[in-house]
PDB file of all heavy atoms in Angstrom:
ATOM      1  N   CYS A1007      14.706 -37.087   9.701  1.00  0.00           N
ATOM      2  CA  CYS A1007      15.199 -37.095  11.071  1.00  0.00           C
ATOM      3  C   CYS A1007      16.038 -35.865  11.316  1.00  0.00           C
ATOM      4  O   CYS A1007      16.679 -35.341  10.400  1.00  0.00           O
ATOM      5  CB  CYS A1007      16.022 -38.351  11.329  1.00  0.00           C
ATOM      6  SG  CYS A1007      16.445 -38.541  13.073  1.00  0.00           S
ATOM      7  N   TYR A1013      25.383 -45.302  12.275  1.00  0.00           N
ATOM      8  CA  TYR A1013      25.041 -46.671  11.870  1.00  0.00           C
ATOM      9  C   TYR A1013      23.713 -46.717  11.132  1.00  0.00           C
ATOM     10  O   TYR A1013      23.352 -47.742  10.565  1.00  0.00           O
ATOM     11  CB  TYR A1013      24.978 -47.584  13.112  1.00  0.00           C
ATOM     12  CG  TYR A1013      24.055 -47.053  14.181  1.00  0.00           C
ATOM     13  CD1 TYR A1013      22.684 -47.245  14.097  1.00  0.00           C
ATOM     14  CD2 TYR A1013      24.543 -46.302  15.249  1.00  0.00           C
ATOM     15  CE1 TYR A1013      21.826 -46.725  15.040  1.00  0.00           C
ATOM     16  CE2 TYR A1013      23.702 -45.771  16.202  1.00  0.00           C
ATOM     17  CZ  TYR A1013      22.342 -45.987  16.086  1.00  0.00           C
ATOM     18  OH  TYR A1013      21.498 -45.452  17.013  1.00  0.00           O
ATOM     19  N   CYS A1014      22.942 -45.600  11.197  1.00  0.00           N
ATOM     20  CA  CYS A1014      21.590 -45.595  10.624  1.00  0.00           C
ATOM     21  C   CYS A1014      21.556 -44.895   9.278  1.00  0.00           C
ATOM     22  O   CYS A1014      20.977 -45.408   8.322  1.00  0.00           O
ATOM     23  CB  CYS A1014      20.638 -44.914  11.602  1.00  0.00           C
ATOM     24  SG  CYS A1014      18.935 -44.757  11.017  1.00  0.00           S
ATOM     25  N   SER A1051       7.083 -44.946  14.531  1.00  0.00           N
ATOM     26  CA  SER A1051       8.527 -44.791  14.499  1.00  0.00           C
ATOM     27  C   SER A1051       8.883 -43.970  13.270  1.00  0.00           C
ATOM     28  O   SER A1051       8.060 -43.238  12.725  1.00  0.00           O
ATOM     29  CB  SER A1051       9.168 -46.192  14.504  1.00  0.00           C
ATOM     30  OG  SER A1051      10.560 -46.103  14.552  1.00  0.00           O
ATOM     31  N   GLY A1052      10.125 -44.083  12.835  1.00  0.00           N
ATOM     32  CA  GLY A1052      10.539 -43.316  11.662  1.00  0.00           C
ATOM     33  C   GLY A1052      11.897 -43.808  11.214  1.00  0.00           C
ATOM     34  O   GLY A1052      12.268 -44.950  11.514  1.00  0.00           O
ATOM     35  N   GLY A1053      12.609 -42.907  10.695  1.00  0.00           N
ATOM     36  CA  GLY A1053      12.849 -41.493  10.914  1.00  0.00           C
ATOM     37  C   GLY A1053      12.486 -41.070  12.341  1.00  0.00           C
ATOM     38  O   GLY A1053      12.311 -41.899  13.204  1.00  0.00           O
ATOM     39  N   GLU A1054      12.380 -39.823  12.535  1.00  0.00           N
ATOM     40  CA  GLU A1054      12.011 -39.352  13.870  1.00  0.00           C
ATOM     41  C   GLU A1054      10.538 -38.966  13.873  1.00  0.00           C
ATOM     42  O   GLU A1054      10.163 -37.965  13.249  1.00  0.00           O
ATOM     43  CB  GLU A1054      12.923 -38.179  14.271  1.00  0.00           C
ATOM     44  CG  GLU A1054      12.541 -37.509  15.566  1.00  0.00           C
ATOM     45  CD  GLU A1054      12.250 -38.503  16.708  1.00  0.00           C
ATOM     46  OE1 GLU A1054      12.930 -39.538  16.838  1.00  0.00           O
ATOM     47  OE2 GLU A1054      11.291 -38.232  17.473  1.00  0.00           O
ATOM     48  N   PRO A1055       9.701 -39.747  14.555  1.00  0.00           N
ATOM     49  CA  PRO A1055       8.254 -39.492  14.480  1.00  0.00           C
ATOM     50  C   PRO A1055       7.863 -38.100  14.963  1.00  0.00           C
ATOM     51  O   PRO A1055       6.913 -37.516  14.449  1.00  0.00           O
ATOM     52  CB  PRO A1055       7.645 -40.584  15.368  1.00  0.00           C
ATOM     53  CG  PRO A1055       8.770 -41.130  16.175  1.00  0.00           C
ATOM     54  CD  PRO A1055      10.010 -40.926  15.379  1.00  0.00           C
ATOM     55  N   THR A1082       8.759 -45.045  19.151  1.00  0.00           N
ATOM     56  CA  THR A1082      10.214 -45.048  19.291  1.00  0.00           C
ATOM     57  C   THR A1082      10.701 -43.689  18.813  1.00  0.00           C
ATOM     58  O   THR A1082      10.376 -43.264  17.702  1.00  0.00           O
ATOM     59  CB  THR A1082      10.866 -46.143  18.428  1.00  0.00           C
ATOM     60  OG1 THR A1082      10.323 -47.410  18.810  1.00  0.00           O
ATOM     61  CG2 THR A1082      12.371 -46.190  18.635  1.00  0.00           C
ATOM     62  N   THR A1083      11.441 -43.002  19.659  1.00  0.00           N
ATOM     63  CA  THR A1083      11.859 -41.632  19.348  1.00  0.00           C
ATOM     64  C   THR A1083      13.316 -41.434  19.736  1.00  0.00           C
ATOM     65  O   THR A1083      13.833 -42.121  20.620  1.00  0.00           O
ATOM     66  CB  THR A1083      10.974 -40.613  20.097  1.00  0.00           C
ATOM     67  OG1 THR A1083      11.523 -39.293  19.958  1.00  0.00           O
ATOM     68  CG2 THR A1083      10.845 -40.927  21.574  1.00  0.00           C
ATOM     69  N   ASN A1084      13.951 -40.456  19.097  1.00  0.00           N
ATOM     70  CA  ASN A1084      15.320 -40.123  19.523  1.00  0.00           C
ATOM     71  C   ASN A1084      15.308 -39.173  20.715  1.00  0.00           C
ATOM     72  O   ASN A1084      16.360 -38.842  21.243  1.00  0.00           O
ATOM     73  CB  ASN A1084      16.146 -39.555  18.360  1.00  0.00           C
ATOM     74  CG  ASN A1084      15.616 -38.225  17.842  1.00  0.00           C
ATOM     75  OD1 ASN A1084      14.949 -37.481  18.544  1.00  0.00           O
ATOM     76  ND2 ASN A1084      15.949 -37.920  16.586  1.00  0.00           N
ATOM     77  N   SER A1106      16.024 -43.694  22.001  1.00  0.00           N
ATOM     78  CA  SER A1106      17.375 -44.106  21.622  1.00  0.00           C
ATOM     79  C   SER A1106      18.387 -43.235  22.339  1.00  0.00           C
ATOM     80  O   SER A1106      18.300 -42.009  22.292  1.00  0.00           O
ATOM     81  CB  SER A1106      17.560 -43.943  20.114  1.00  0.00           C
ATOM     82  OG  SER A1106      16.657 -44.791  19.468  1.00  0.00           O
ATOM     83  N   ASN A1144      16.919 -47.523  24.145  1.00  0.00           N
ATOM     84  CA  ASN A1144      17.500 -48.363  23.085  1.00  0.00           C
ATOM     85  C   ASN A1144      18.948 -47.929  22.888  1.00  0.00           C
ATOM     86  O   ASN A1144      19.214 -46.745  22.677  1.00  0.00           O
ATOM     87  CB  ASN A1144      16.790 -48.113  21.744  1.00  0.00           C
ATOM     88  CG  ASN A1144      15.511 -48.912  21.590  1.00  0.00           C
ATOM     89  OD1 ASN A1144      15.189 -49.751  22.428  1.00  0.00           O
ATOM     90  ND2 ASN A1144      14.801 -48.657  20.524  1.00  0.00           N
ATOM     91  N   VAL A1146      22.389 -48.983  20.699  1.00  0.00           N
ATOM     92  CA  VAL A1146      23.085 -49.828  19.716  1.00  0.00           C
ATOM     93  C   VAL A1146      24.531 -49.968  20.188  1.00  0.00           C
ATOM     94  O   VAL A1146      25.207 -48.960  20.448  1.00  0.00           O
ATOM     95  CB  VAL A1146      23.024 -49.203  18.301  1.00  0.00           C
ATOM     96  CG1 VAL A1146      23.824 -50.036  17.310  1.00  0.00           C
ATOM     97  CG2 VAL A1146      21.572 -49.082  17.832  1.00  0.00           C
ATOM     98  N   ILE A1173      21.178 -53.385  21.219  1.00  0.00           N
ATOM     99  CA  ILE A1173      20.870 -53.789  19.844  1.00  0.00           C
ATOM    100  C   ILE A1173      22.173 -54.008  19.074  1.00  0.00           C
ATOM    101  O   ILE A1173      23.101 -53.193  19.178  1.00  0.00           O
ATOM    102  CB  ILE A1173      20.041 -52.675  19.133  1.00  0.00           C
ATOM    103  CG1 ILE A1173      18.792 -52.322  19.960  1.00  0.00           C
ATOM    104  CG2 ILE A1173      19.651 -53.077  17.726  1.00  0.00           C
ATOM    105  CD1 ILE A1173      17.989 -51.145  19.412  1.00  0.00           C
ATOM    106  N   GLU A1174      22.207 -55.089  18.323  1.00  0.00           N
ATOM    107  CA  GLU A1174      23.344 -55.295  17.397  1.00  0.00           C
ATOM    108  C   GLU A1174      23.122 -54.446  16.149  1.00  0.00           C
ATOM    109  O   GLU A1174      21.993 -54.384  15.635  1.00  0.00           O
ATOM    110  CB  GLU A1174      23.419 -56.766  16.964  1.00  0.00           C
ATOM    111  CG  GLU A1174      24.058 -57.666  17.994  1.00  0.00           C
ATOM    112  CD  GLU A1174      24.036 -59.140  17.579  1.00  0.00           C
ATOM    113  OE1 GLU A1174      23.437 -59.489  16.544  1.00  0.00           O
ATOM    114  OE2 GLU A1174      24.618 -59.950  18.325  1.00  0.00           O
ATOM    115  N   THR A1175      24.146 -53.824  15.648  1.00  0.00           N
ATOM    116  CA  THR A1175      24.010 -53.020  14.434  1.00  0.00           C
ATOM    117  C   THR A1175      23.678 -53.940  13.253  1.00  0.00           C
ATOM    118  O   THR A1175      24.259 -55.007  13.097  1.00  0.00           O
ATOM    119  CB  THR A1175      25.279 -52.162  14.216  1.00  0.00           C
ATOM    120  OG1 THR A1175      25.100 -51.386  13.053  1.00  0.00           O
ATOM    121  CG2 THR A1175      26.531 -52.981  14.092  1.00  0.00           C
ATOM    122  N   MET A1176      22.691 -53.513  12.468  1.00  0.00           N
ATOM    123  CA  MET A1176      22.195 -54.371  11.374  1.00  0.00           C
ATOM    124  C   MET A1176      22.532 -53.762  10.017  1.00  0.00           C
ATOM    125  O   MET A1176      22.535 -52.537   9.873  1.00  0.00           O
ATOM    126  CB  MET A1176      20.666 -54.513  11.470  1.00  0.00           C
ATOM    127  CG  MET A1176      20.196 -55.159  12.747  1.00  0.00           C
ATOM    128  SD  MET A1176      18.393 -55.147  12.833  1.00  0.00           S
ATOM    129  CE  MET A1176      18.148 -54.655  14.534  1.00  0.00           C
ATOM    130  N   ARG A1185      29.845 -50.888   8.678  1.00  0.00           N
ATOM    131  CA  ARG A1185      29.275 -51.237   9.984  1.00  0.00           C
ATOM    132  C   ARG A1185      30.047 -52.362  10.665  1.00  0.00           C
ATOM    133  O   ARG A1185      30.039 -52.472  11.889  1.00  0.00           O
ATOM    134  CB  ARG A1185      27.820 -51.667   9.827  1.00  0.00           C
ATOM    135  CG  ARG A1185      26.863 -50.526   9.525  1.00  0.00           C
ATOM    136  CD  ARG A1185      25.437 -51.014   9.665  1.00  0.00           C
ATOM    137  NE  ARG A1185      24.459 -50.004   9.324  1.00  0.00           N
ATOM    138  CZ  ARG A1185      23.987 -49.815   8.097  1.00  0.00           C
ATOM    139  NH1 ARG A1185      24.425 -50.540   7.098  1.00  0.00           N
ATOM    140  NH2 ARG A1185      23.086 -48.887   7.866  1.00  0.00           N
ATOM    141  N   MET A1308      16.964 -48.347   8.006  1.00  0.00           N
ATOM    142  CA  MET A1308      16.015 -48.667   9.081  1.00  0.00           C
ATOM    143  C   MET A1308      14.966 -47.568   9.202  1.00  0.00           C
ATOM    144  O   MET A1308      13.813 -47.825   9.556  1.00  0.00           O
ATOM    145  CB  MET A1308      16.806 -48.793  10.389  1.00  0.00           C
ATOM    146  CG  MET A1308      16.007 -49.133  11.589  1.00  0.00           C
ATOM    147  SD  MET A1308      15.769 -50.899  11.690  1.00  0.00           S
ATOM    148  CE  MET A1308      16.765 -51.297  13.102  1.00  0.00           C
ATOM    149  N   SER A1309      15.342 -46.326   8.888  1.00  0.00           N
ATOM    150  CA  SER A1309      14.420 -45.203   9.035  1.00  0.00           C
ATOM    151  C   SER A1309      13.246 -45.282   8.068  1.00  0.00           C
ATOM    152  O   SER A1309      12.221 -44.649   8.273  1.00  0.00           O
ATOM    153  CB  SER A1309      15.177 -43.891   8.819  1.00  0.00           C
ATOM    154  OG  SER A1309      15.964 -43.981   7.645  1.00  0.00           O
ATOM    155  N   GLY A1313      12.423 -48.567  12.885  1.00  0.00           N
ATOM    156  CA  GLY A1313      13.135 -49.559  13.690  1.00  0.00           C
ATOM    157  C   GLY A1313      12.327 -50.002  14.875  1.00  0.00           C
ATOM    158  O   GLY A1313      11.289 -49.468  15.180  1.00  0.00           O
TER     159      GLY A1313
HETATM  160  N1  SAM B2766      14.488 -41.883  15.323  1.00  0.00           N
HETATM  161  C1  SAM B2766      13.943 -42.791  16.271  1.00  0.00           C
HETATM  162  C2  SAM B2766      15.016 -43.354  17.162  1.00  0.00           C
HETATM  163  O1  SAM B2766      16.190 -43.194  16.856  1.00  0.00           O
HETATM  164  O2  SAM B2766      14.653 -43.973  18.173  1.00  0.00           O
HETATM  165  C3  SAM B2766      13.143 -43.907  15.669  1.00  0.00           C
HETATM  166  C4  SAM B2766      13.662 -44.558  14.434  1.00  0.00           C
HETATM  167  S1  SAM B2766      15.184 -45.454  14.604  1.00  0.00           S
HETATM  168  C5  SAM B2766      15.388 -46.087  12.973  1.00  0.00           C
HETATM  169  C6  SAM B2766      14.662 -46.829  15.588  1.00  0.00           C
HETATM  170  C7  SAM B2766      15.742 -47.644  16.225  1.00  0.00           C
HETATM  171  O3  SAM B2766      16.492 -48.272  15.211  1.00  0.00           O
HETATM  172  C8  SAM B2766      16.714 -46.845  17.067  1.00  0.00           C
HETATM  173  O4  SAM B2766      16.802 -47.423  18.353  1.00  0.00           O
HETATM  174  C9  SAM B2766      18.021 -46.983  16.325  1.00  0.00           C
HETATM  175  O5  SAM B2766      19.107 -46.989  17.206  1.00  0.00           O
HETATM  176  C10 SAM B2766      17.845 -48.285  15.600  1.00  0.00           C
HETATM  177  N2  SAM B2766      18.645 -48.431  14.391  1.00  0.00           N
HETATM  178  C11 SAM B2766      18.731 -47.616  13.312  1.00  0.00           C
HETATM  179  N3  SAM B2766      19.539 -48.119  12.367  1.00  0.00           N
HETATM  180  C12 SAM B2766      19.979 -49.304  12.835  1.00  0.00           C
HETATM  181  C13 SAM B2766      20.838 -50.319  12.333  1.00  0.00           C
HETATM  182  N4  SAM B2766      21.398 -50.246  11.129  1.00  0.00           N
HETATM  183  N5  SAM B2766      21.073 -51.413  13.117  1.00  0.00           N
HETATM  184  C14 SAM B2766      20.496 -51.523  14.344  1.00  0.00           C
HETATM  185  N6  SAM B2766      19.669 -50.614  14.858  1.00  0.00           N
HETATM  186  C15 SAM B2766      19.419 -49.510  14.140  1.00  0.00           C
END
Side-chain angles (χ1 to χ4, degrees):
C1007 189
Y1013 54 81
C1014 177
S1051 183
E1054 174 47 38
T1082 302
T1083 171
N1084 65 24
S1106 297
N1144 277 354
V1146 176
I1173 306 174
E1174 280 176 354
T1175 181
M1176 299 175 224
R1185 287 191 183 89
M1308 181 84 111
S1309 48

